[in-house]
Amino acid sequence: MSRIGFIGTGHIAAPIARLMAAKGHEISVTERNAEVSAALKAELGVTIAPPQAVIDASDIVFLCLRPHIAAEVLAPLTFRADQQVVSVMAAVSAEDLAKLCAPASDFVQTIPLGFLQSGGCPMAAFGKDRLLAELFEPENPVVKVADEAALNAHFAICAMVPGILDLMATGAEWLGDVTGDADGAEFYTTQLMAGFLAAMEKGTAGRLAQERDALATEGTLSLQMTGTLIEQGAHEALRAALGAIGKRLEN
C-alpha cells in the first residue's frame, strides 16, 4: 500500500480519499477546506497537516487545487524526485506542473467526478496512465488520451454533466408542476435516465445515436422531442459551449 497525500481537500479530493482509504492506502490531507478535512479525519482517521508536511509524508501526491491558486500554493513547496503526482486541476498544463513540482517528473493528469467512490467513473488520463489504473481500476476505467488537447476536450465533456442535469431539473420541474408531486417527479426523471443509460451497450461509437433513432421513429413523441430540440438550436448551443470551454482550457 502507498502513502497518499492530497493538496487541496474539496468536493473532488474527498471521494478520492475515501476510495483510496478503502483500498488500504495511508492518507494525509491539507486543511485548505477545514470542514471537509475534519470530516475525513473523523470518518477515516486521515492525518491533517500543512502542505509541505503532506508532501514529505507521501509517495503519491494528488493536486486538487482550484487552477487559479495552483501556482500560489505549489510554488513555495518542495517535492521529491521519486514522487508520483496526480493532477486533477483543469487548465494547469503539464509544462506548468513540471515547473511547480520539480524535481518530481512522474505525472498524470486526469478528470475524476465525485461518483468515482461508487465506481463506474471513466477517468481520462494524460501521462502515466498505469498509475491511475493501479489506483482506480477495476472500479473506474482509465481512458488513455494522446495529448493535452484531447484531455482538455474530455474536461469539456465533464462540464456537460451539470448542463444535462440542468435540463433534467427543468424536465422534473415541469412534471412536478403538472402532477403536483415534485418529489415523485424528480425520482421518476432521475430513475428513467439512470436506468436507460445503465441498460445501454457500451464501448462503440454511434451507440447513442442508434438508441436515439430507435426511440425517435416516425410519428412518436420521441421524434417530436428531438425535432423540437434541433429546431430550437439546442445542439448548436451545446457545441458552442463545448468549443468555448475548450478554448478557455487552452489559455
Side-chain angles (χ1 to χ4, degrees), residues 6-230:
F6 291 82
I7 306 299
T9 314
H11 72 286
I12 292 297
I16 299 175
R18 291 188 180 98
L19 179 59
M20 294 299 97
K23 287 174 173 279
H25 299 290
E26 180 183 331
I27 308 298
S28 58
V29 303
T30 60
E31 199 178 17
R32 175 153 290 275
N33 187 316
E35 182 178 350
V36 174
S37 58
L40 289 173
K41 181 176 182 179
E43 177 185 349
L44 307 173
V46 305
T47 299
I48 301 174
Q52 187 61 61
V54 169
I55 290 174
D56 292 344
S58 301
D59 306 308
I60 301 169
V61 180
F62 278 80
L63 304 180
C64 306
L65 299 163
R66 295 178 185 268
H68 68 279
I69 65 168
E72 174 188 347
V73 174
L74 296 177
L77 304 177
T78 301
F79 289 77
R80 300 192 309 273
D82 65 336
Q83 285 179 315
Q84 300 178 92
V85 178
V86 181
S87 171
V88 301
M89 305 182 296
V92 178
S93 69
E95 181 180 356
D96 289 337
L97 286 173
K99 293 176 182 177
L100 291 169
C101 302
S105 59
D106 201 352
F107 299 101
V108 62
Q109 297 167 270
T110 189
I111 315 163
L113 292 179
F115 70 91
L116 63 79
Q117 186 180 347
S118 302
C121 178
M123 301 181 69
F126 175 58
K128 190 177 180 181
D129 56 288
R130 190 169 72 177
L131 171 61
L132 286 186
E134 292 170 353
L135 291 174
F136 291 100
E137 289 187 338
E139 297 87 351
N140 299 283
V142 174
V143 179
K144 184 176 182 179
V145 301
D147 51 36
E148 284 187 277
L151 183 72
N152 287 338
H154 285 74
F155 269 120
I157 293 298
C158 284
M160 191 172 72
V161 172
I164 292 173
L165 291 175
D166 194 26
L167 291 174
M168 290 175 63
T170 298
E173 183 180 357
W174 176 87
L175 181 58
D177 289 343
V178 173
T179 63
D181 180 4
D183 291 341
E186 185 142 328
F187 174 80
Y188 181 82
T189 301
T190 55
Q191 291 302 301
L192 181 69
M193 298 302 177
F196 185 84
L197 291 174
M200 275 185 58
E201 294 183 22
K202 300 173 178 65
T204 55
R207 175 60 61 186
L208 289 168
Q210 290 173 12
E211 294 289 349
R212 175 202 63 205
D213 293 343
L215 292 171
T217 56
E218 185 176 357
T220 61
L221 301 176
S222 297
L223 183 60
Q224 182 177 351
M225 172 63 75
T226 57
T228 301
L229 290 175
I230 292 171

